[in-house]
Amino acid sequence: MSERFNERVVLITGAGSGLGQAAALQVAAEGAKLSLVDVNQESLDETKAKV
């Protein structure tokens, strides 16, 4: 996997589901440090666990 986001911080809104969650998982796999935001705490916690 690419390290293009290595040591970068990425803010993702809507990270609890859908495209936001997919983006969070992808950029995390590419080395990003994440700041995740969602209105639904439960789904946000699920994304956090997957990351």
Side-chain angles (χ1 to χ4, degrees):
M1 189 73 45
S2 168
E3 292 293 322
R4 67 181 170 158
F5 291 103
N6 194 33
E7 299 302 317
R8 296 188 186 257
V9 177
V10 177
L11 170 66
I12 299 178
T13 60
S17 64
L19 291 173
Q21 185 181 64
L25 297 173
Q26 182 65 40
V27 297
E30 295 187 34
K33 295 179 181 182
L34 301 177
S35 180
L36 304 176
V37 179
D38 198 283
V39 296
N40 183 323
Q41 186 64 48
E42 286 183 32
S43 63
L44 186 60
D45 290 340
E46 289 176 22
T47 299
K48 181 181 170 186
K50 289 181 180 182
V51 169

